Amino acid sequence: MPQSPLFLQRRSYRRRRIMDGLRMLPFLCAVLWLVVPAMWPNSAEAGASTTLSSALGYLFTVWVLAITASFALWRRLRPEDEAVQATDGPSA
């Protein structure tokens, strides 16, 4: 009986980890967005006040970084998809 290999191939392992990263990215962004209410102090006497513009800047920065990260991870997956399609031939 042939035994299956103990370890995965490097290409498929990396591909799965990138896909896991793409799946976890929305949850990471949600956690980063949940920080916004903690930016405002509980009382006006605390002295450390966060302006609305800085909070919106934080949200916009997290949003842009999420888009950039998802695009970068997607680009890392894409060349392998095209290579697989090229070897399989046209799907008609």
Side-chain angles (χ1 to χ4, degrees), residues 39-41 43-52 54:
M39 293 173 117
W40 279 280
S43 65
E45 300 170 5
S49 62
T50 302
T51 62
L52 181 62
S54 64

Side-chain angles (χ1 to χ4, degrees), residues 6-7 15 18 22 28 30 32 35 53 63 73 79-80 83:
L6 183 60
F7 298 103
R15 181 176 174 80
I18 291 172
L22 278 169
L28 175 65
L32 289 174
V35 171
S53 61
W63 180 61
L73 290 172
E80 293 177 6

Side-chain angles (χ1 to χ4, degrees), residues 11-90:
R11 175 181 279 173
S12 64
Y13 179 79
R14 286 185 181 165
R15 181 176 174 80
R16 288 180 184 187
R17 295 300 73 84
I18 291 172
M19 289 171 59
D20 289 344
L22 278 169
R23 289 181 187 122
M24 291 304 295
L25 193 60
F27 297 108
L28 175 65
C29 292
V31 168
L32 289 174
W33 278 20
L34 289 174
V35 171
V36 173
M39 293 173 117
W40 279 280
N42 291 335
S43 65
E45 300 170 5
S49 62
T50 302
T51 62
L52 181 62
S53 61
S54 64
L56 289 176
Y58 173 79
L59 289 176
F60 182 73
T61 302
V62 169
W63 180 61
V64 168
L65 289 175
I67 291 172
T68 305
S70 64
F71 180 74
L73 290 172
W74 173 75
R75 290 290 294 171
R76 298 249 333 174
L77 285 175
R78 191 164 179 222
E80 293 177 6
D81 289 340
E82 291 174 353
V84 169
Q85 288 178 356
T87 59
D88 290 343

